[in-house]
Amino acid sequence: MIVRRIRRPELGSVALSAIVSIYLLVVTNNSFWSHAASYFDNSRLSLLSFGAALALTTFAVLTLASAKYVIKPVLIFLIVVSGAAAYFVDYFGVIIDKDMIGNAAVTTQAEASHLLTGSLMLHLLLYAVIPSVFVVWVKVRHRRLLPKAAINLAIIIPCLLISGGLIYSDFASVAYVIREHKDLMKRFNPTGPVSAAVRYASSIYKERNIVVQPLGTDARQGARVAAAGKPVVVVVVAGETARAMNFSLNGYDRETNPELKSLGVINYTDTTSCGTATAISLPCMFSVYPRNEYTDWKARSTENLVNVLTRAGVSVSWWDNNTGSKGIADLISFASMTNQKNSPLCNNGECLDEIFLGELDKKLSATKSNSVIVLHQLGSHGPSYYLRYPEKFRKFKPDCRTPELMKCSVEEITNAYDNTILYTDYVLASVARLLEKHQNDISGAMIYMSDHGESLGENGIYLHGAPYAIAPREQTQVPFVSWFSKPYQTAMGIDASCLAKETDQPKSHDNLFHTVLGMMDVETKVYNRDLDAFANCTRQGPLGKPSVSAFQAADTAKDLPAAVVPATAMPGAKAL
């Protein structure tokens, strides 16, 4: 029996570069071209000119990398990156920028597992593995060094000159589109995700020697909390992926907040987030910096809300049922709720948010000092919405029962998401009732803010993490709810009826830092009364007397730390 060897195809290095260029441009950039067509809608000729320039530039770059021993690894890398990125960009409508790379870097195994679906595996097989196997299999012809360099330059230089000429000839249109639609080039594979990864790695490298500067070193508890007569306890619930428009408290046509409604909570109807992903929004929420001044560098190099509270003598605990505190709780008591074994509320490294309630009941019964307890929820995190609530909360049906959202209708996705909001309503109401249960021994209050919202298929976008400048309101409008026990209202001078008249006033994550300081009557120069959401309806001193140590909000700016000052200029600063 004669077995014939299959003859390997043979291509020149330039020809292979051309084939891969066409593959990347045509197959892995569907989202890019559809958006480009929309953005250049008024000029098809401009679109063709821009597309031709991009194609020539791509071919020139790949030709530049067509050296022996280099071409195959480079082409395979670009194919794999583009193939993987195309799945998330095309199916979920997300943009893979620096922040999205950061989110991926800090995700947990349990969280990542929801994205490792059969659809993703099939997509990678078709769009990354098979093309890569072809590149490995093909035999590449290479000329000797000098002739190869000459021929490559003879290709690269004209391509770049023609590309530049095409851009220059219609520069006004191209510049306008790129300036007004900054998301466009972030969608282009493979340069979008590759440049995002490089920027993320660069930021991590720059922050390797970052220091943490003390904040609120003058912090102390005021007269109201001292005169309360019993421990003051505030539970701060950091929500996850809850969008305001699906809260019936905000006018949603489904009853998703029956329990909070029955408690008569204070609900702010117009609240915006600091970011569209947890890695940004969560640190920003607990940071002294407002959104328009916030940077990751500032957050990492400056102490935050929990540190100021601790410095004032408040006992602070962080309980996490998510992917961690993103550095916020590094210097305080931290407990991960997902590590509990043999609990009916937990499965595969994730727990339902009810996991907080039993421990909170025990904590409140044993509390003897003024305390803040932060509960970081799993909330409505997607795409596996159906795993975020127990069977008894499947009120809205049929609900999407898979993380592969493209297999579900918009109605099924919305039903599953609304069930998560219904369950969050129950958890929040349960927290309030536990505070009420222990009101003979503590003066308790609860404040809830979600970190960001979620897209459920509107305009072809799913999940979250869109660049803030172009993010839809579904991702930036978040719920903000508070509840106060009667003892807390009396002790801290909160006028709930006054607050109820202000619930339509715009609020944001900028308010959380100063509002919680106000709730615990912490006096410090970094407290800004203008950003305390409850200040207008709060007595400033015991028995109606003004607080003798209150600082003016005007002092806030000058007392903010110089977050980027080198460590040598900040004696006593603590390294991470």
Side-chain angles (χ1 to χ4, degrees):
M1 181 177 179
I2 300 175
V3 178
R4 293 191 177 186
R5 291 182 59 187
I6 299 177
R7 187 176 179 181
R8 293 170 60 192
E10 187 173 328
L11 290 171
S13 60
V14 173
L16 181 60
S17 296
I19 291 172
V20 174
S21 296
I22 294 171
Y23 176 79
L24 295 176
L25 288 163
V26 175
V27 178
T28 69
N29 275 288
N30 293 330
S31 178
F32 171 80
W33 292 117
S34 64
H35 280 80
S38 174
Y39 298 158
F40 282 96
D41 185 51
N42 294 326
S43 178
R44 294 296 177 184
L45 184 60
S46 294
L47 174 61
L48 290 174
S49 177
F50 173 69
L54 203 57
L56 288 169
T57 302
T58 301
F59 177 46
V61 171
L62 267 59
T63 300
L64 182 64
S66 65
K68 194 173 184 179
Y69 307 120
V70 174
I71 183 170
K72 287 191 175 184
V74 169
L75 295 184
I76 290 170
F77 171 75
L78 297 179
I79 289 170
V80 171
V81 169
S82 298
Y87 176 81
F88 296 101
V89 173
D90 292 346
Y91 285 96
F92 294 109
V94 302
I95 296 175
I96 302 178
D97 58 3
K98 173 178 171 287
D99 295 330
M100 188 65 75
I101 296 293
N103 295 333
V106 299
T107 193
T108 62
Q109 181 178 351
E111 188 178 37
S113 66
H114 297 299
L115 296 172
L116 300 178
T117 62
S119 294
L120 173 60
M121 297 300 104
L122 179 60
H123 180 94
L124 291 177
L125 175 64
L126 295 176
Y127 291 87
V129 175
I130 292 177
S132 296
V133 169
F134 170 77
V135 172
V136 171
W137 183 42
V138 72
K139 185 177 180 180
V140 182
R141 293 192 306 268
H142 291 281
R143 292 181 174 88
R144 285 177 298 177
L145 181 60
L146 291 180
K148 181 179 182 65
I151 291 174
N152 282 8
L153 286 175
I155 294 171
I156 293 170
I157 292 175
C159 283
L160 293 180
L161 288 175
I162 296 171
S163 175
L166 289 170
I167 295 296
Y168 181 77
S169 67
D170 196 22
F171 183 77
S173 296
V174 173
Y176 174 80
V177 167
I178 292 178
R179 183 178 64 249
E180 295 299 315
H181 303 283
K182 294 181 173 60
D183 63 301
L184 181 60
M185 296 312 298
K186 293 179 180 179
R187 298 178 187 274
F188 184 64
N189 284 322
T191 57
V194 170
S195 62
V198 170
R199 290 197 302 272
Y200 175 74
S202 176
S203 68
I204 294 298
Y205 178 77
K206 290 177 181 178
E207 294 170 3
R208 68 195 187 284
N209 295 321
I210 206 168
V211 294
V212 179
Q213 185 176 354
L215 179 70
T217 55
D218 59 336
R220 67 177 184 178
Q221 295 177 68
R224 283 178 294 149
V225 73
K230 61 180 72 171
V232 174
V233 179
V234 171
V235 177
V236 179
V237 184
E240 171 67 54
T241 320
R243 67 186 203 179
M245 61 184 60
N246 287 60
F247 267 51
S248 56
L249 290 174
N250 294 322
Y252 189 48
D253 57 5
R254 282 180 166 177
E255 185 56 85
T256 54
N257 304 127
E259 299 212 36
L260 289 176
K261 180 180 178 181
S262 69
L263 288 174
V265 296
I266 303 299
N267 173 67
Y268 291 91
T269 59
D270 182 12
T271 305
T272 53
S273 67
C274 184
T276 62
T278 305
I280 297 174
S281 282
L282 195 65
C284 188
M285 289 168 68
F286 287 82
S287 166
V288 69
Y289 298 102
R291 191 188 74 80
N292 61 357
E293 298 177 15
Y294 176 85
T295 65
D296 183 65
W297 174 271
K298 287 181 177 180
R300 290 177 179 273
S301 59
T302 309
E303 288 185 341
N304 56 66
L305 173 61
V306 301
N307 307 124
V308 178
L309 290 167
T310 300
R311 185 165 283 118
V314 178
S315 174
V316 187
S317 303
W318 185 288
W319 296 357
D320 204 280
N321 191 37
N322 204 305
T323 57
S325 72
K326 313 305 178 190
I328 301 167
D330 285 352
L331 303 178
I332 65 169
S333 173
F334 176 91
S336 174
M337 312 304 283
T338 61
N339 293 329
Q340 299 193 29
K341 298 179 180 179
N342 302 320
S343 171
L345 297 172
C346 302
N347 185 41
N348 293 327
E350 292 183 332
C351 302
L352 295 171
D353 284 329
E354 279 178 87
I355 199 73
F356 291 126
L357 302 181
E359 295 300 319
L360 182 60
D361 193 13
K362 296 176 186 177
K363 175 78 171 180
L364 295 178
S365 66
T367 296
K368 303 298 181 185
S369 61
N370 298 327
S371 304
V372 168
I373 305 167
V374 182
L375 309 181
H376 184 200
Q377 288 185 296
L378 187 55
S380 303
H381 198 286
S384 299
Y385 306 120
Y386 69 103
L387 295 179
R388 307 296 173 239
Y389 50 90
E391 181 66 26
K392 63 182 178 180
F393 284 87
R394 288 185 68 190
K395 176 180 178 181
F396 306 110
K397 298 179 181 179
D399 50 342
C400 184
R401 307 294 292 177
T402 173
E404 299 181 72
L405 299 181
M406 62 290 299
K407 293 184 177 180
C408 296
S409 66
V410 172
E411 178 188 8
E412 290 170 332
I413 295 170
T414 303
N415 286 343
Y417 184 82
D418 285 348
N419 287 335
T420 70
I421 301 299
L422 184 68
Y423 183 56
T424 289
D425 171 76
Y426 164 75
V427 172
L428 294 177
S430 297
V431 169
R433 291 191 176 107
L434 285 174
L435 290 168
E436 190 172 44
K437 171 185 174 181
H438 294 281
Q439 65 181 359
N440 290 336
D441 301 309
I442 62 171
S443 298
M446 177 190 74
I447 180 171
Y448 165 80
M449 269 189 182
S450 180
D451 59 353
H452 54 77
E454 184 87 330
S455 291
L456 301 178
E458 297 88 359
N459 299 313
I461 302 173
Y462 295 86
L463 305 179
H464 53 265
Y468 201 91
I470 62 168
R473 63 188 296 268
E474 288 84 1
Q475 296 188 30
T476 60
Q477 291 292 120
V478 295
F480 173 13
V481 176
S482 58
W483 176 89
F484 313 97
S485 69
K486 294 298 183 183
Y488 180 90
Q489 293 181 48
T490 300
M492 304 304 288
I494 289 282
D495 185 343
S497 61
C498 171
L499 289 176
K501 298 175 183 178
E502 297 189 344
T503 55
D504 60 346
Q505 297 298 310
K507 303 297 178 186
S508 72
H509 281 170
D510 294 354
N511 296 111
L512 184 67
F513 181 96
H514 305 279
T515 301
V516 175
L517 289 182
M519 292 176 76
M520 292 304 298
D521 194 24
V522 171
E523 296 172 346
T524 169
K525 289 182 180 180
V526 297
Y527 166 72
N528 186 341
R529 190 172 187 273
D530 290 340
L531 289 175
D532 182 344
F534 307 148
N536 290 339
C537 300
T538 303
R539 185 182 68 238
Q540 292 301 297
L543 302 178
K545 298 178 182 179
S547 176
V548 295
S549 323
F551 294 97
Q552 296 297 320
D555 289 334
T556 302
K558 70 180 182 181
D559 287 299
L560 290 180
V564 295
V565 175
T568 53
M570 297 186 295
K574 182 178 291 185
L576 283 176

